Amino acid sequence: MYRQPVLKNRRTLLERAEKFISDVYFTDCNLRGRLYGDSCPLQSIASFISPKRIPFSEASTQKFEPYTVGDTFGPTWWTCWFKVTLTIPESWRGKEVHLLWESDGEGMVWKDGHPVQGLTKEGEKTSYILSDCLQSEDPHSFTLYVEVACNGLFGAGQGSMIATPDPNRRFSIHKAELVIFNRDVRELLTEFEMLVDIVKELGEREQRGYQALFTVNEMVNRCDPTDPSSFSEAHNLACKFFNQRNGESQHTVHAMGHCHIDSAWLWPYEETIRKCGRSWVTVISLMEKNPEFTFTCSQAQQFQWVKSWYPGLFSRIQYFVKKGQFIPVGGTWVEMDGNLPSGESMIRQFLEGQRFFNQEFGTYCKEFWLPDTFGYSAQLPQIMRGCGIPNFLTQKLSWNLVNTFPHNTFFWEGLDGSQVLTHFPPGNSYEMKGKIEDLVKTVKNNKDKGRANHSAALFGFGDGGGGPNQLMLDRLRLVQDTDGLPRVQMSSPDQLFSQLQADSSLLCTWTGELFLELHNGTYTTQAQIKRENRQCEALLRDVEIASSLALCRSKTFSYPQEKLQRLWRLLLLNQFHDVIPGSCTAMVVEDALKYYEDIRADASILLHEACEALGSKGSTAGLFNSLPWERQEVIEIKDGPGGLDLVLVEVPSIGISTIKAIQPVTAVSVTCQADGTVVMENGILRTAINQDGTLASLHLINANREALSDGCRGNQFVVFDDVPLYWDAWDVMDYHLQTRKPVEEVIQPVHVVSSGGLRASVSFTLRISDKSTIVQEIVMDAMSPYLKFNTKVEWAESHKFLKVEFPVRVRSPNATYEIQFGHLQRPTHWNTSWDWARFEVWGHKWADLSEHNFGVSLLNDSKYGYSIHKNTMTLSLIRAPKAPDSTADMGAHQFTYAIMPHTGSFQDASVIQAAYNLNFPLRRMQCHPDTKAWSSFSVTKPVILETIKQAEDAKGTLVVRLYESHGSSLTATLCTTLPVKEAWHCDLLERRDPARPAHVTSDGIMLSFRPFQIVTLLLVL
Ligand SMILES: [Zn+2]
């Protein structure tokens, strides 16, 4: 029987219950004040400080100095090791004993040489349990080590989280002692807290909220904090409430523990390794006590780190993976950025990830897991499907600044029509705490009510916060099936998606990309990382192709599989969703650039070795063309008799030839006009260049068509103020467009550098400000369909955005942008909020604006940010954000873009091929003097042969990957001069489809394609 409340006053009852468990008020007499019993000081603490992150074996042998609690240590990024000796008082028999450790930084307890528990105040983990119930025969004395990293969960931002890290921060231990922990008080506190939260979350409209209110009020009446024997009465009241069951129709929340660990962000890669160790060891010890507890964990790279740094922990993880509690998810090497990596890079993310999970845990992931990225390529569904993945979990679109995404559970249909079942946890978080608020939000926010009756709730502190804690598990356990709340079950992605799939008939479909209406500056920030990524992607591709060909041409050549795997993994690591977007600190940038240097150095050697084998170690200058079409290009020979010589050469499709000069159909001419403009012409294009480097005209000769808009100037540099609301490196806001200023100050006007023949070029210098300049060479080559802009910028700005504009004489409501293995269209108008929210978009090597029978393409060699509004095509070049890296993008930049007017469609005009040509230089090599021009592969035009590599599991078998690039259905022929014995279709993980042999005839291999379809073959040699 409940006692009648004195007055009908909801507020006093609610606040009374809140105060009864408050950790601020009335702790002298409330229940919270009883959580801990007696305490006892430690016997001794001594410390040793290290600038490096060293292993335990090394740390434990160092000389430790006495340490007094409260003393400071540091600075930032150092590590302080503590040696702790303690003896538990005899009188604590029968009690639960904790080492209470409240400190700054991130801690790890080591016992008997093994990591046993992470300690982070920010992640609500401040206790290490020494004994659940102390017995007299138990050891009472211990020596422990605590390794404290001098950084917070989110690094050490000076003033705000994303500010540049403070290098001189000091750290301290605030409390280190032994305490008796009253488990019965904790359990009762949890019941109180959950009831109070039910009252608050269900509000005044729900009958059930009042039942919770009267229950919790009566619990306060019955519970005497000083008398534990009164607890059971209060507990029974709580049980009665929580055990009132739901009806069958209630929504089910699939709770999964999680700890989102950014592979690098506001801290360097090396610290992430320890974040994983600290977090996962904590998760494992929770699993030992809570057999129902499940934890999802992504990113093969992090498992690989833990495997090599914490082998003991890794084998315990393997044990819990087998038990189904520790669940590897995602299938990728890292949680990569969803926009910028190339198509092949995305496939390699899955190839390396899935193969790692299969090798270490005997399973392939069935879901892609990417909660935190700044957009999702429309090609991802096909790539997922090809890697054995039918399901996708993410949630970042809840960050959209303008439009609310309409679904939580839906089918996502990609560019080629592939579909994946997709779920956005409706709670809009991947760091829930198991609270009532989380559960209510999950049900309330679900935009597919009546269509999907299952949702995920990911709970646990991220970024090294150790993931879930016991309290979260206790909370969720209490409300597994409580009337008025969603049903809660510990679950796995597999269970969730099976349930969603089983009842999916009412689900909606979203077609095309998932564009994030925020963080659009990340297509441009940290230009050097972007450039290195693009060039290293090209380099690794070429090494693989050259090595594959060398394998066929030379008996002694061995394919550098392990070396290539190492380099790919470095490249994939830098594609992490805070590295390639440029949203990381200077330390991370430094590491990333070092990895790129490593890739370049080693890959160049591998390319050289492969080319040597291809060219039979000859001494005649030759060229290797890795692209699947014949190329005629002007190249520079630096070792020519006159220093720098130009030659027009021809190299066959995926093949080699010696350098042999051919004559152009039309030579390039340069004329300086009386008005100071310079006119260049190559038979295809004619352009007039003003003194300030802008284009007065760009004429497509055969079509007699001017490409530039009347009275407008092409190649116009413009600078914008670029001050976002908060996320500095991430965001460029709509209002920056109102601050456009053309760069007009000429330091050195246009003058001729190359005077025609094979190449005409002019150079000029502009001043952006007193600190920043642009030097550009505009190049027109014989036979080239595009005009090239080789650009050098000295950049020392603050919160400015440099772009270049081409107002063109084309009218179209849509522009086309290259993405992974294809292209898509986005509007050039701002009709609806969905249109104008895309004022800054991403694309890869080219973008095109075409009307019927004419268009202009803008190509680039290392940029990703575009905006095409009305008839102005703009390429984003350089930003200058100051957080989290205050030096971001300062200094020298070098990049090339090109403009290509064309008749017909961009498909017919070979824009795609031109953009490949701009990005994949002909590689110099040495051949035997009598080497005949040789082509290994060629393929019908709209199909692009993207990849040739040795199969992962079969020496002497090549993997060849092609895609349809125009968006058409067709049959194509792949021709090869290699001795192919048999050919098989396989998936993107290179698993042969025994039902689909590919027919090899004397004419080649006939293949059929759907629009944008990726086809992978195994060629047995
Ligand atoms: Zn993240």
Side-chain angles (χ1 to χ4, degrees), residues 914-929:
Y916 269 92
N917 290 347
L918 187 71
N919 279 269
F920 291 83
L922 290 168
R923 309 272 184 191
R924 293 288 302 273
M925 60 179 288
Q926 297 295 113
C927 328
H928 210 262

Side-chain angles (χ1 to χ4, degrees), residues 606-748:
L606 295 179
L607 185 62
H608 178 77
E609 287 170 358
C611 285
E612 234 181 14
L614 264 180
S616 320
K617 300 199 175 178
S619 58
T620 302
L623 291 166
F624 165 56
N625 170 22
S626 72
L627 296 178
W629 45 81
E630 182 184 275
R631 289 163 77 175
Q632 290 183 343
E633 265 169 46
V634 175
I635 59 160
E636 294 171 6
I637 309 180
K638 290 195 182 72
D639 44 15
L644 189 85
D645 265 6
L646 296 173
V647 200
L648 179 64
V649 294
E650 190 175 81
V651 193
S653 158
I654 312 190
I656 58 172
S657 73
T658 54
I659 295 183
K660 221 182 287 163
I662 58 167
Q663 289 309 308
V665 177
T666 310
V668 195
S669 67
V670 195
T671 327
C672 297
Q673 312 266 74
D675 63 357
T677 56
V678 177
V679 174
M680 307 198 291
E681 186 173 334
N682 71 350
I684 302 167
L685 300 172
R686 181 172 63 239
T687 186
I689 303 165
N690 295 315
Q691 284 287 292
D692 62 0
T694 56
L695 305 187
S697 162
L698 180 62
H699 202 82
L700 189 60
I701 295 170
N702 274 348
N704 194 23
R705 235 345 252 258
E706 172 59 43
L708 297 178
S709 196
D710 275 350
C712 293
R713 295 168 161 222
N715 197 37
Q716 176 69 61
F717 288 101
V718 282
V719 171
F720 298 84
D721 293 344
D722 185 15
V723 188
L725 297 175
Y726 173 72
W727 296 100
D728 201 355
W730 291 257
D731 285 353
V732 55
M733 309 306 297
D734 51 350
Y735 52 76
H736 87 286
L737 292 169
Q738 298 186 318
T739 64
R740 176 183 177 279
K741 287 181 198 70
V743 178
E744 287 171 328
E745 198 183 337
V746 179
I747 299 176
Q748 189 180 24

Side-chain angles (χ1 to χ4, degrees), residues 101 121 133 264 343 421 473 525 608 622 858 878:
W101 182 277
K121 217 171 147 194
C133 180
L421 177 56
L473 293 172
T525 307
H608 178 77
L858 185 53
I878 312 177

Side-chain angles (χ1 to χ4, degrees), residues 86 97-101 109-111 114-119 125-131 142 144 146 177-179 285:
L86 58 91
V97 183
H98 289 193
L99 165 65
L100 196 65
W101 182 277
V109 184
W110 292 79
K111 188 181 171 205
H114 298 290
V116 289
Q117 161 86 50
L119 292 172
K125 292 170 191 74
T126 51
S127 289
Y128 172 58
I129 303 174
L130 291 162
S131 171
F142 298 91
L144 302 171
V146 184
E177 61 187 22
L178 298 184
V179 289
S285 65

Side-chain angles (χ1 to χ4, degrees), residues 2 192 195 210-220 234 237-241:
Y2 291 179
F192 268 104
L195 284 163
Y210 284 93
Q211 291 173 352
L213 180 68
F214 297 135
T215 301
V216 78
N217 182 56
E218 189 59 19
M219 285 167 67
V220 183
L237 288 176
C239 287
K240 197 174 141 213
F241 180 91

